[in-house]
Amino acid sequence: MENINYDFIISEIKEVCKISKDKIDCITNMANISAILNEHLKNINWVGFYIFYNNHLVLGPFQGKVACTNIALDKGVCGKSFFSNKTLNVPNVHAFSDHIACDNNSLSELVIPFHANFIEGVLDIDSFLLNNFSLEDQKNIEEIVKTISSIL
Ligand code: SME
């Protein structure tokens, strides 16, 4: 992605998110964070959260088309990222075995796990372009996820 002001995104997230010790705020904050990311990231068609619950990932707040609601930890880019606790930057989802297609327009995907105070899961971002997320984008979005983890 080109010309993304990642510092601005982080400052907007900090400004918009309420920080309190209330679990309800997690959902509120995740909803606004997905809206901020959807507004500022380029060439994306889906951005949102999957939340770890009952040994599954469950769909959380997002922007984009209707998506699958439950992902087992051995399935999909999301399940594998959370299970291995590693970022998965997939330049071509069709070359990733076990990829779960929620939106046929998705061609590349970046999934970053997070472990916050009240909640853990993954941030999932899909792009309608192949290879949309450079290593630099990945590092910057990992920084955003660190900020998110300190808020949720
Ligand atoms: N593609 C993901 C599933 C979630 S959707 O992209 C919103 C995966 O393979 O885990």
Side-chain angles (χ1 to χ4, degrees), residues 13-14 16-22 25 29 150-152:
I13 287 173
K14 285 181 176 164
V16 164
C17 287
K18 293 196 283 177
I19 301 178
S20 76
K21 304 233 176 301
D22 183 342
D25 282 349
N29 288 335
S150 68
I151 290 169
L152 298 179

Side-chain angles (χ1 to χ4, degrees), residues 24-93:
I24 295 293
D25 282 349
C26 289
I27 305 298
T28 307
N29 288 335
M30 285 190 284
N32 271 335
I33 290 166
S34 58
I36 290 168
L37 295 177
N38 192 47
E39 191 180 336
H40 294 289
L41 299 181
K42 304 248 169 81
N43 314 320
I44 66 168
N45 55 306
W46 202 93
V47 54
F49 294 91
Y50 278 91
I51 299 161
F52 182 60
Y53 181 73
N54 267 354
N55 219 29
H56 273 74
L57 293 174
V58 179
L59 183 63
F62 70 95
Q63 305 263 310
K65 285 191 179 171
V66 166
C68 57
T69 52
N70 283 274
I71 300 178
L73 297 191
D74 61 346
K75 293 280 183 285
V77 186
C78 292
K80 292 189 168 172
S81 167
F82 186 80
F83 186 75
S84 63
N85 198 25
K86 288 201 168 79
T87 296
L88 288 179
N89 188 348
V90 180
N92 177 1
V93 294

Side-chain angles (χ1 to χ4, degrees), residues 123-141:
L123 174 71
D124 180 18
I125 311 173
D126 289 5
S127 169
F128 53 83
L129 295 182
L130 287 168
N131 205 11
N132 190 48
F133 307 103
S134 66
L135 190 55
E136 201 188 331
D137 293 321
Q138 177 186 324
K139 287 185 176 153
N140 280 303
I141 298 171

